[in-house]
Amino acid sequence: MPFEGYTQEQYAQDMIDAYKAAGVDPSRVWAQSFVPDDIFYWIENEPDFGRQAVYLDERVDTVEGYANATASLPDLAARGVQIMAPAFFALTKVDNATGTIVPSEYAIAAKELGLELVTWSFERSGWLNEGGGYYYQYVKPVINNDGDAYTVLDVLVQQVGITHIFSDWPATVTYFASCFNL
């Protein structure tokens, strides 16, 4: 965007207008975007929808991006962002003293600011006995079997406090949720 005169703001508004035209209550909509200006637009111009706008935070993909994303959380909260959604690897790390998986600095900062955390995308990774790939990059040193997915999920739910998780294959998440009556 823009594309042939059609702007990003027009897109953001058209999406909300489609929900309104369909009679969808704003409480049932979690508008999502990787573009922070979309989130700010909904907060400022469509506050009933902006209240639940989800900032899909892809800035965490690099070490520098992760540091910048974590440092920017207070500013985002001050601008009215209430729900952050980084990839799940950004919410965990290894505690080198204990060798256990714990909440990351990003997760801790977000929770201290009262931000809700949503994450993605569970069960998209490679074999965990081979380190799990992209989504397990921050906890790779302590990942060695497929059961470790439950360890990570438990930390995300019980310690990080995520409220939602996107999953490509929801069996693991559904089983976990059923076991804990979530």
Side-chain angles (χ1 to χ4, degrees), residues 22-54:
V24 178
D25 189 278
S27 68
R28 296 183 56 218
V29 177
W30 281 265
Q32 308 164 37
S33 182
F34 288 102
V35 179
D37 286 343
D38 290 346
I39 305 300
F40 302 141
Y41 179 87
W42 294 322
I43 290 167
E44 294 165 13
N45 297 285
E46 293 289 349
D48 290 342
F49 290 89
R51 189 172 358 272
Q52 292 187 157
V54 180

Coordinates of all heavy atoms in Angstrom, one line a residue, residues 22-54:
A22 N -21.8 -6.3 8.3 CA -22.3 -7.7 8.5 C -22.9 -7.8 9.9 O -23.4 -8.9 10.3 CB -21.1 -8.7 8.4
G23 N -22.9 -6.7 10.7 CA -23.6 -6.7 12.0 C -22.8 -7.4 13.1 O -23.3 -7.9 14.0
V24 N -21.5 -7.6 12.9 CA -20.6 -8.3 13.8 C -20.3 -7.4 15.0 O -19.8 -6.2 14.8 CB -19.3 -8.8 13.2 CG1 -18.4 -9.5 14.2 CG2 -19.6 -9.7 12.0
D25 N -20.6 -7.8 16.2 CA -20.3 -7.0 17.4 C -18.8 -6.9 17.5 O -18.0 -7.8 17.4 CB -20.9 -7.7 18.6 CG -20.8 -6.8 19.8 OD1 -19.7 -6.8 20.4 OD2 -21.8 -6.2 20.2
P26 N -18.3 -5.6 17.8 CA -16.8 -5.4 18.0 C -16.2 -6.3 19.0 O -15.0 -6.7 18.9 CB -16.7 -4.0 18.4 CG -18.0 -3.3 17.9 CD -19.0 -4.4 18.0
S27 N -16.9 -6.8 20.0 CA -16.3 -7.7 21.0 C -16.0 -9.0 20.4 O -15.2 -9.8 21.1 CB -17.3 -7.8 22.2 OG -18.5 -8.6 21.8
R28 N -16.5 -9.4 19.2 CA -16.1 -10.6 18.6 C -15.0 -10.5 17.6 O -14.7 -11.5 16.9 CB -17.4 -11.2 17.9 CG -18.5 -11.5 18.9 CD -19.7 -12.1 18.2 NE -19.3 -13.3 17.5 CZ -19.8 -13.7 16.3 NH1 -20.8 -12.9 15.8 NH2 -19.4 -14.7 15.7
V29 N -14.4 -9.3 17.5 CA -13.4 -9.1 16.4 C -12.1 -8.8 17.1 O -12.0 -7.9 18.0 CB -13.8 -7.9 15.5 CG1 -12.7 -7.6 14.5 CG2 -15.1 -8.2 14.8
W30 N -11.1 -9.5 16.7 CA -9.7 -9.2 17.1 C -9.0 -8.9 15.8 O -8.3 -9.7 15.1 CB -9.0 -10.4 17.7 CG -9.4 -10.6 19.2 CD1 -8.8 -10.1 20.3 CD2 -10.6 -11.2 19.7 NE1 -9.4 -10.5 21.4 CE2 -10.6 -11.1 21.1 CE3 -11.7 -11.9 19.1 CZ2 -11.6 -11.7 21.9 CZ3 -12.7 -12.4 19.8 CH2 -12.6 -12.3 21.2
A31 N -9.1 -7.6 15.3 CA -8.4 -7.2 14.1 C -6.9 -7.3 14.3 O -6.4 -7.0 15.4 CB -8.8 -5.7 13.8
Q32 N -6.2 -7.9 13.3 CA -4.8 -8.2 13.5 C -4.0 -7.5 12.3 O -4.5 -7.5 11.2 CB -4.6 -9.7 13.4 CG -5.4 -10.5 14.3 CD -5.3 -12.0 13.9 OE1 -4.3 -12.5 13.4 NE2 -6.5 -12.6 14.0
S33 N -2.8 -7.1 12.7 CA -1.9 -6.6 11.6 C -0.5 -6.7 12.0 O -0.2 -6.5 13.2 CB -2.3 -5.2 11.3 OG -1.5 -4.7 10.2
F34 N 0.4 -6.9 11.0 CA 1.8 -6.7 11.2 C 2.2 -5.3 11.1 O 3.4 -4.9 11.4 CB 2.6 -7.5 10.2 CG 2.5 -9.0 10.4 CD1 1.7 -9.8 9.7 CD2 3.3 -9.6 11.4 CE1 1.6 -11.2 9.8 CE2 3.3 -11.0 11.6 CZ 2.4 -11.8 10.8
V35 N 1.3 -4.4 10.7 CA 1.6 -3.0 10.4 C 1.1 -2.2 11.6 O -0.1 -2.0 11.9 CB 0.9 -2.5 9.1 CG1 1.2 -1.1 8.9 CG2 1.3 -3.4 7.9
P36 N 2.0 -1.6 12.4 CA 1.6 -0.8 13.6 C 0.7 0.3 13.2 O -0.2 0.6 14.0 CB 2.9 -0.3 14.2 CG 4.0 -0.7 13.2 CD 3.5 -1.6 12.2
D37 N 0.8 0.9 12.1 CA -0.1 2.0 11.8 C -1.6 1.6 11.6 O -2.5 2.3 11.9 CB 0.3 2.7 10.5 CG 1.5 3.6 10.7 OD1 1.9 3.9 11.8 OD2 2.2 4.0 9.7
D38 N -1.8 0.3 11.3 CA -3.1 -0.2 11.3 C -3.7 -0.3 12.7 O -4.8 0.1 12.9 CB -3.2 -1.6 10.7 CG -2.9 -1.7 9.2 OD1 -3.0 -0.7 8.5 OD2 -2.6 -2.8 8.7
I39 N -2.9 -0.8 13.6 CA -3.3 -0.9 15.0 C -3.6 0.5 15.5 O -4.7 0.7 16.1 CB -2.2 -1.5 15.9 CG1 -1.8 -2.9 15.3 CG2 -2.7 -1.6 17.3 CD1 -2.9 -3.9 15.2
F40 N -2.7 1.5 15.3 CA -3.0 2.9 15.8 C -4.2 3.5 15.1 O -5.0 4.2 15.8 CB -1.7 3.7 15.5 CG -0.5 3.3 16.1 CD1 0.7 3.4 15.4 CD2 -0.4 2.7 17.4 CE1 1.9 2.9 16.0 CE2 0.7 2.2 17.9 CZ 1.9 2.3 17.2
Y41 N -4.4 3.2 13.8 CA -5.6 3.7 13.2 C -6.9 3.2 13.8 O -7.8 3.9 14.1 CB -5.6 3.3 11.7 CG -6.8 3.8 10.9 CD1 -6.8 5.0 10.4 CD2 -7.9 3.0 10.8 CE1 -7.9 5.5 9.7 CE2 -9.1 3.4 10.2 CZ -9.1 4.7 9.7 OH -10.2 5.2 9.0
W42 N -6.9 1.9 14.1 CA -8.1 1.3 14.7 C -8.3 1.8 16.1 O -9.5 2.1 16.5 CB -8.1 -0.2 14.7 CG -8.1 -0.8 13.4 CD1 -8.8 -0.4 12.3 CD2 -7.3 -2.0 12.9 NE1 -8.5 -1.3 11.2 CE2 -7.6 -2.2 11.6 CE3 -6.4 -2.8 13.6 CZ2 -7.1 -3.2 10.8 CZ3 -5.9 -3.9 12.8 CH2 -6.2 -4.1 11.5
I43 N -7.3 2.0 16.9 CA -7.4 2.6 18.2 C -7.9 4.0 18.2 O -8.8 4.3 18.9 CB -6.0 2.5 18.9 CG1 -5.6 1.1 19.3 CG2 -6.0 3.4 20.2 CD1 -4.1 0.9 19.7
E44 N -7.4 4.8 17.3 CA -7.8 6.2 17.2 C -9.2 6.4 16.5 O -9.9 7.3 16.9 CB -6.7 7.0 16.4 CG -5.4 7.0 17.2 CD -4.3 7.5 16.4 OE1 -4.5 8.0 15.3 OE2 -3.1 7.3 16.9
N45 N -9.5 5.6 15.5 CA -10.6 5.9 14.6 C -11.8 4.9 14.8 O -12.9 5.3 14.5 CB -10.3 5.9 13.1 CG -9.3 7.0 12.8 OD1 -9.7 8.2 12.8 ND2 -8.0 6.7 12.7
E46 N -11.5 3.8 15.3 CA -12.5 2.8 15.6 C -12.3 2.1 17.0 O -11.9 0.9 17.0 CB -12.5 1.7 14.5 CG -12.9 2.2 13.1 CD -14.4 2.5 13.0 OE1 -15.2 2.1 14.0 OE2 -14.8 3.1 12.0
P47 N -12.4 2.9 18.0 CA -12.0 2.4 19.3 C -12.7 1.2 19.8 O -12.1 0.4 20.5 CB -12.2 3.6 20.3 CG -13.1 4.5 19.5 CD -12.9 4.3 18.1
D48 N -13.9 0.9 19.4 CA -14.6 -0.3 19.8 C -13.9 -1.5 19.2 O -13.9 -2.6 19.8 CB -16.1 -0.3 19.3 CG -16.9 0.7 20.1 OD1 -16.4 1.2 21.2 OD2 -18.0 1.1 19.7
F49 N -13.3 -1.4 18.0 CA -12.6 -2.5 17.4 C -11.1 -2.4 17.8 O -10.4 -3.4 18.0 CB -12.7 -2.4 15.9 CG -14.1 -2.8 15.4 CD1 -15.0 -1.8 15.2 CD2 -14.3 -4.1 15.0 CE1 -16.3 -2.1 14.8 CE2 -15.6 -4.4 14.6 CZ -16.6 -3.4 14.4
G50 N -10.6 -1.2 18.0 CA -9.2 -1.0 18.3 C -8.8 -1.5 19.7 O -7.7 -1.9 20.0
R51 N -9.8 -1.6 20.6 CA -9.6 -2.1 21.9 C -9.0 -3.5 21.9 O -8.3 -3.9 22.8 CB -11.0 -2.1 22.7 CG -11.0 -2.3 24.1 CD -12.3 -2.1 24.8 NE -13.4 -1.6 24.0 CZ -13.7 -0.3 23.8 NH1 -12.9 0.7 24.2 NH2 -14.8 0.1 23.1
Q52 N -9.4 -4.3 20.9 CA -8.9 -5.7 20.8 C -8.0 -5.9 19.6 O -7.8 -7.0 19.2 CB -10.1 -6.7 20.7 CG -10.9 -6.8 21.9 CD -12.0 -7.8 21.9 OE1 -12.4 -8.3 23.0 NE2 -12.5 -8.3 20.8
A53 N -7.5 -4.8 19.1 CA -6.6 -5.0 18.0 C -5.3 -5.7 18.4 O -4.7 -5.4 19.4 CB -6.2 -3.6 17.4
V54 N -4.8 -6.6 17.6 CA -3.7 -7.5 17.9 C -2.5 -7.1 17.0 O -2.6 -7.2 15.8 CB -4.0 -9.0 17.6 CG1 -2.8 -9.8 18.0 CG2 -5.2 -9.4 18.5

